[in-house]
Amino acid sequence: FGSAADPAPPPRCSPCSERNTKRLQDMRPRPPASLSRAAALKFASIPLAALLASPAAPARAVIGESILPGYLQADDKSWDVTLPAAWKASTADMRAEPEHRFHLRAERSSGAAASLDVFVDVAKGKQFLSDLGKVDEVGRRYAERFGTVQRAAAVPGPVRGSTYYEYEFAGSTTTTRAKLTVYQSRLYMLLLTLPSSAPAEVLAEADAISSSFKAFPVNMFCLAASNGGTAPTPGTCY
């Protein structure tokens, strides 16, 4: 037996307590790999209780951005777009027109008249945007419908490796903006029709809508079901 002068042995934890402690340590969120060493150390110093009490992060879309109010996605997840608060979709069924795979209509609900159309159409034999032709060549074809080409550019998309053609056409009383790309024998096209003298607020909304528009390739089972004209079974498209 130890004497009164001997140091007291350290308190022992039960195996259950040790497991609980380990479990809590494992629950600590890990800092992203891209953080600098200093930022990672700062992250690690945050008390676990504070991290667990933090509010949940907003929902994320497939490429990492926050999903905002006004977000609309096709039932086969092949494209999406986000409308500002002043814009409202007017299409009850985006598959209702047999000549299009999808057709979404939306309008600005007040103030300056402005409208949006998103079309998804068959592009037989076209697998890539370049299969349509060069950006200027494609722009000249659409100019017959929308007016004089004011801008034509090939721009990178938000998904790595994706490219879109963007245009602005000047008509007699309206300006038409177009953004399009091609995947899997489908042409994805966004059209914005604006007054020629649209105020800055409307132009900014049009910029936001165009920037939000994205198209994606989908798996072959999803594509086959969707091209059949009906919404794919939940879980088919990813």
Side-chain angles (χ1 to χ4, degrees):
F1 295 98
S3 67
D6 292 335
R12 299 182 62 186
C13 297
S14 69
C16 181
S17 298
E18 291 175 352
R19 287 196 298 271
N20 289 339
T21 301
K22 181 62 167 58
R23 186 178 297 112
L24 287 173
Q25 291 172 343
D26 290 341
M27 290 171 63
R28 174 182 290 276
R30 300 294 192 266
S34 59
L35 287 180
S36 67
R37 182 174 183 275
L41 290 174
K42 182 178 180 181
F43 183 96
S45 68
I46 301 174
L48 177 60
L51 289 171
L52 295 178
S54 300
R60 298 284 174 177
V62 293
I63 61 167
E65 82 274 22
S66 295
I67 295 178
L68 302 174
Y71 175 81
L72 299 172
Q73 185 183 58
D75 58 32
D76 65 0
K77 300 184 181 180
S78 65
W79 62 272
D80 58 59
V81 69
T82 300
L83 302 181
W87 292 67
K88 302 298 179 185
S90 59
T91 305
D93 180 3
M94 292 190 289
R95 290 183 175 272
E97 301 171 21
E99 65 271 28
H100 305 293
R101 290 286 187 251
F102 295 96
H103 181 193
L104 168 69
R105 292 186 181 92
E107 295 83 27
R108 199 167 192 272
S109 55
S110 62
S115 63
L116 163 73
D117 290 274
V118 175
F119 296 98
V120 180
D121 293 321
V122 174
K124 188 174 181 180
K126 306 292 191 296
Q127 295 296 320
F128 306 101
L129 181 58
S130 58
D131 292 336
L132 295 179
K134 295 184 178 180
V135 62
D136 292 332
E137 175 189 351
V138 175
R140 286 192 295 270
R141 294 202 298 266
Y142 283 114
E144 298 176 4
R145 176 181 172 188
F146 299 120
T148 306
V149 179
Q150 300 293 304
R151 175 177 176 267
V155 299
V159 179
R160 179 177 296 179
S162 63
T163 303
Y164 294 78
Y165 287 169
E166 290 188 348
Y167 301 96
E168 185 169 314
F169 304 93
S172 57
T173 60
T174 60
T175 295
T176 301
R177 295 186 182 185
K179 181 178 181 180
L180 56 97
T181 194
V182 171
Y183 286 115
Q184 300 170 305
S185 297
R186 283 178 164 189
L187 172 64
Y188 296 84
M189 175 180 282
L190 173 144
L191 294 174
L192 284 157
T193 305
L194 313 172
S196 297
S197 56
E201 180 183 16
V202 175
L203 296 178
E205 292 169 356
D207 287 341
I209 293 171
S210 182
S211 296
S212 75
F213 176 61
K214 303 178 294 297
F216 312 92
V218 296
N219 69 73
M220 63 179 184
F221 303 105
C222 174
L223 184 67
S226 181
N227 284 345
T230 58
T233 303
T236 305
C237 301
Y238 50 84

